[in-house]
Amino acid sequence: MLKVNKLHAGYGKLEIVHGISLHVNEEEIVTIIGPNGCGKSTFLKSIFGLTTIMDGEIIFNNKNITNMRPDLIAREGIGYVPQLDNVFPNLTVEENLEMGGYILPKSQLKERMEEVYDFFEVLREKKDVLAGSLSGGERQMLAMARALMAKPKLLLLDEPTAGLSPKMVSTVLKKIREITDMGVGILLVEQNAKKALEISDRGYVFAGGVVVYEGKASDILNHKEIGELYLGKKAL
Ligand SMILES: Nc1ncnc2c1ncn2[C@@H]1O[C@H](COP(=O)(O)OP(=O)(O)OP(=O)(O)O)[C@@H](O)[C@H]1O
């Protein structure tokens, strides 16, 4: 579904991503892990048209979307949830969802909202609450729900569990796994690497703007060196 070939990308003349290739299949969860500053967020932003692409290409459902505008990329079926500022705090939950569904024909908006509420019951209960007064976990659910309103085929999630309690991290990740049942593939960037890999199909380890390891999530979890370096496992 998504195929990134030898991507070089960054900001202005500053190259951060140095030739990364990666793919995501339909209804698959792929997680990117790696140290701070290695280019994980920059890579996600690049797929959504928010950086400068120096070389390489991004193919989505057989269409070349390299250098396309973010609003057009969204119309192709990709949703992007940034780490920060991912909801409108001064709007209610329902108003946020309406904003998320702006590309849908008006006749489909209510029906889609019901589907999204069925999936995130907690949001239905809080539909008239301002997004700014939700808990951290609820806010992340709303950010994902808002992106799902547009019926994407692929969701790009940048650290959806940042700042959450360990229990809430597990709740949000479980919900992310369930999103794939809606026919959505997920590319996830996570600091909670171990827990994220546990709900993932495959993973990529980035370091210094390149891929240093890729494989099945279970292989990464069991990999001795990666475990020591990135998953907080002590050397024996
Ligand atoms: N808008 C920007 N303009 C210039 N440089 C930036 C910009 N955003 C990020 N960078 C730089 O790009 C590099 C990679 O940052 P990025 O956020 O992609 O890393 P990351 O792997 O997601 O890190 P973290 O886990 O800390 O979020 C960093 O050196 C950062 O300072």
Side-chain angles (χ1 to χ4, degrees):
M1 173 172 54
L2 176 76
K3 209 164 176 349
V4 180
N5 296 322
K6 298 186 183 150
L7 190 74
H8 293 255
Y11 305 96
K13 287 193 171 133
L14 177 67
E15 186 177 302
I16 303 285
V17 169
H18 307 297
I20 289 185
S21 298
L22 171 154
H23 67 278
V24 181
N25 299 321
E26 281 179 24
E27 296 180 31
E28 191 180 41
I29 300 189
V30 174
T31 290
I32 302 171
I33 65 168
N36 287 328
C38 69
K40 303 182 296 294
S41 299
T42 303
F43 183 78
L44 273 202
K45 283 189 217 164
S46 301
I47 297 170
F48 204 65
L50 298 169
T51 63
T52 313
I53 309 249
M54 286 99 181
D55 203 2
E57 57 181 13
I58 304 163
I59 311 291
F60 183 64
N61 286 337
N62 298 319
K63 183 164 183 174
N64 192 334
I65 60 163
T66 322
N67 285 320
M68 257 171 71
R69 281 194 344 237
D71 58 315
L72 298 179
I73 294 174
R75 283 178 194 277
E76 291 297 324
I78 298 184
Y80 167 61
V81 182
Q83 189 184 341
L84 300 172
D85 302 327
N86 52 21
V87 296
F88 296 102
N90 297 324
L91 298 182
T92 65
V93 165
E94 185 136 317
E95 287 164 346
N96 267 276
L97 294 181
E98 278 168 10
M99 300 282 284
Y102 77 99
I103 64 174
L104 294 180
K106 239 189 155 163
S107 56
Q108 285 184 28
L109 194 65
K110 276 280 165 229
E111 188 188 335
R112 182 59 178 167
M113 200 176 285
E114 282 310 309
E115 285 170 5
V116 168
Y117 278 145
D118 286 346
F119 191 75
F120 294 101
E121 279 294 342
V122 60
L123 296 181
R124 192 198 303 275
E125 289 159 23
K126 306 225 162 170
K127 68 185 174 67
D128 297 321
V129 170
L130 290 181
S133 44
L134 296 176
S135 72
E138 289 165 352
R139 195 171 52 78
Q140 285 302 340
M141 304 269 195
L142 176 59
M144 294 191 288
R146 193 163 75 88
L148 285 171
M149 279 297 296
K151 299 189 176 177
K153 296 304 274 175
L154 174 69
L155 263 194
L156 311 171
L157 302 178
D158 196 350
E159 298 198 23
T161 70
L164 301 183
S165 66
K167 189 161 171 268
M168 204 26 100
V169 169
S170 303
T171 306
V172 168
L173 287 172
K174 188 162 168 271
K175 215 62 198 164
I176 290 172
R177 180 74 248 179
E178 288 169 19
I179 289 175
T180 60
D181 298 338
M182 298 170 106
V184 180
I186 290 173
L187 183 58
L188 179 64
V189 164
E190 260 300 336
Q191 290 288 345
N192 283 302
K194 191 166 172 294
K195 280 189 175 175
L197 286 166
E198 281 165 359
I199 58 125
S200 300
D201 299 293
R202 290 185 302 109
Y204 290 78
V205 183
F206 285 13
V210 298
V211 173
V212 292
Y213 189 86
E214 65 176 281
K216 285 201 297 191
S218 53
D219 291 344
I220 298 179
L221 282 166
N222 293 322
H223 193 288
K224 187 166 171 293
E225 276 170 50
I226 292 173
E228 287 164 11
L229 281 170
Y230 305 116
L231 304 176
K233 290 186 190 169
K234 288 252 155 40
L236 294 172

